[in-house]
Amino acid sequence: MTATSCWGAAGLRSARRNRLEYWLVRVILVTVSRGPTRFLGGIYAKLLDLCVPKLRRVARRNCELTGMDPRVIDGVFRSIGRMLVCFARFPRINRENVGDWIRYEGFEHYAAAKAKGKGVLFATLHLGNWELSAYAHALLTEPMHIVVRPLDNPLLDALVRARRMATGNIVIGKTDGIRPIYRALAANQAVGILVDQNVGLDDGLFVNFFGKKACVSPAFAKLAARTGTTVIPGYAVWSEAERKYILRFDPPVEITGNTLIDTQRIQNALERAIRAYPDQWLWIHRRWKTRPWGEPPLYGE
């Protein structure tokens, strides 16, 4: 329900590069939305695999570190292709046809959390289709807030931001601070935050994730404890049998007030989701990059 940037350092960018990237993405979105979508989505995902070989190398290393079957990597790129098709079709998804794209499972957890009146914190991850999850929830139930890191390319950021907000969702930039999140929760609204990414030593603490120490931001667990908000793992995963996504709301994570324990519990919930749908998680991310002091790097940096 949030996004990361893969476009490089903003300060080193040129206006020309920004425009080239923007128009390339626009062309891709137009061709996918108007052409044989499933086929083109797969083609573009395959091109990404071939043109950026580092992604597959990182995924292989992650599989080695966790004992995961490397055959899931092909599924990752198929998942990216499906996500691209869906994102290209966002302007055509509305209240009348959203059910053709996605359905709920576990909605009762969300309803029970809302009944408490303290808002909902969605602990989400780069699994399945994190963009569709928030987009569709606004159509199926009500708009929500999503916390994002703005893309370094301002033209692309504006394009993506407009699509994220098209169904009424409110985007909170990570530079906006914590107050908008507090206000949303106080108003008994939902906030979605991606919590499966690597962070630096200065920003995180280490918990176990797939049997390896992973550096995680403790901010999410602290926020949940301070507000008394219900934490629900939420994510949209593809069902091949149904030919649509399932927006899953898992049972709430019990928050104790102990930051380390709560952070570990949240990551445990994410790990269970990934193990259930391993070929839909973004294994191409260097999840275990940050190491405890004295440990060697795991990615050959």
Side-chain angles (χ1 to χ4, degrees), residues 225-280:
R226 289 172 183 168
T227 60
T229 301
T230 301
V231 172
I232 295 178
Y235 47 93
V237 288
W238 176 255
S239 169
E240 189 65 31
E242 298 183 39
R243 304 300 301 167
K244 67 168 67 175
Y245 286 95
I246 300 172
L247 179 49
R248 292 200 53 172
F249 296 153
D250 287 345
V253 177
E254 183 181 353
I255 300 299
T256 67
N258 181 302
T259 300
L260 180 59
I261 292 175
D262 294 341
T263 301
Q264 182 67 72
R265 287 183 174 184
I266 293 166
Q267 294 299 310
N268 287 347
L270 302 189
E271 182 177 333
R272 286 193 294 272
I274 295 168
R275 288 188 180 279
Y277 307 95
D279 60 345
Q280 296 190 47

Side-chain angles (χ1 to χ4, degrees), residues 7 53-54 60 64 69 76 81-82 87 91 107 130 165 171 173 192 194-195 199 226 232 235 238 248 257 263 284:
W7 301 102
K54 178 181 177 181
R60 286 199 192 100
E64 290 174 2
D69 188 336
V76 172
R82 286 192 297 264
F87 189 76
F107 185 81
W130 56 92
M165 298 175 66
V171 172
L194 285 164
V195 291
V199 300
R226 289 172 183 168
I232 295 178
Y235 47 93
W238 176 255
R248 292 200 53 172
T263 301
I284 58 178

Side-chain angles (χ1 to χ4, degrees), residues 149-169:
R149 179 194 183 281
L151 299 175
D152 292 330
N153 184 326
L155 300 177
L156 283 178
D157 186 64
L159 185 154
V160 173
R161 185 184 183 93
R163 295 206 174 194
R164 287 172 175 160
M165 298 175 66
T167 53
N169 289 327

Side-chain angles (χ1 to χ4, degrees), residues 25-275:
V25 171
R26 284 296 299 268
V27 168
I28 290 173
L29 292 178
V30 168
T31 56
V32 170
S33 66
R34 296 181 180 178
T37 55
R38 186 181 178 188
F39 171 75
L40 286 176
I43 289 295
Y44 283 128
K46 185 63 175 178
L47 286 174
L48 175 66
D49 187 9
L50 294 174
C51 295
V52 192
K54 178 181 177 181
L55 300 179
R56 184 171 284 269
R57 288 199 299 269
V58 170
R60 286 199 192 100
R61 180 58 176 152
N62 284 336
C63 289
E64 290 174 2
L65 293 171
T66 60
M68 184 62 61
D69 188 336
R71 287 178 293 182
V72 302
I73 301 173
D74 290 334
V76 172
F77 286 98
R78 288 194 296 270
S79 182
I80 291 172
R82 286 192 297 264
M83 186 174 177
L84 173 60
V85 169
C86 187
F87 189 76
R89 288 293 181 102
F90 269 11
R92 304 185 190 182
I93 301 176
N94 52 50
R95 284 185 172 84
E96 286 67 42
N97 63 18
V98 65
D100 297 333
W101 291 84
I102 194 168
R103 69 168 177 83
Y104 281 121
E105 188 171 293
F107 185 81
E108 66 274 11
H109 302 305
Y110 177 77
K114 288 282 288 185
K116 295 179 181 179
K118 293 186 177 182
V120 180
L121 272 174
F122 283 122
T124 189
L125 67 166
H126 293 86
L127 179 72
N129 195 330
W130 56 92
E131 294 289 355
L132 178 62
S133 59
Y135 188 93
H137 182 67
L139 293 173
L140 292 165
T141 303
E142 60 185 355
M144 58 179 289
H145 295 69
I146 51 178
V147 180
V148 306
R149 179 194 183 281
L151 299 175
D152 292 330
N153 184 326
L155 300 177
L156 283 178
D157 186 64
L159 185 154
V160 173
R161 185 184 183 93
R163 295 206 174 194
R164 287 172 175 160
M165 298 175 66
T167 53
N169 289 327
I170 298 172
V171 172
I172 301 175
K174 289 193 174 180
T175 58
D176 294 335
I178 198 71
R179 289 184 180 179
I181 300 177
Y182 277 118
R183 287 197 294 266
L185 297 177
N188 197 27
Q189 297 171 345
V191 179
I193 306 176
L194 285 164
V195 291
D196 64 333
Q197 296 170 280
N198 180 77
V199 300
L201 280 174
D202 294 338
D203 300 315
L205 52 78
F206 286 96
V207 297
N208 290 314
F209 194 62
F210 282 87
K212 297 287 182 182
K213 290 293 183 182
C215 200
V216 182
S217 171
F220 187 97
K222 290 180 179 179
L223 176 64
R226 289 172 183 168
T227 60
T229 301
T230 301
V231 172
I232 295 178
Y235 47 93
V237 288
W238 176 255
S239 169
E240 189 65 31
E242 298 183 39
R243 304 300 301 167
K244 67 168 67 175
Y245 286 95
I246 300 172
L247 179 49
R248 292 200 53 172
F249 296 153
D250 287 345
V253 177
E254 183 181 353
I255 300 299
T256 67
N258 181 302
T259 300
L260 180 59
I261 292 175
D262 294 341
T263 301
Q264 182 67 72
R265 287 183 174 184
I266 293 166
Q267 294 299 310
N268 287 347
L270 302 189
E271 182 177 333
R272 286 193 294 272
I274 295 168
R275 288 188 180 279

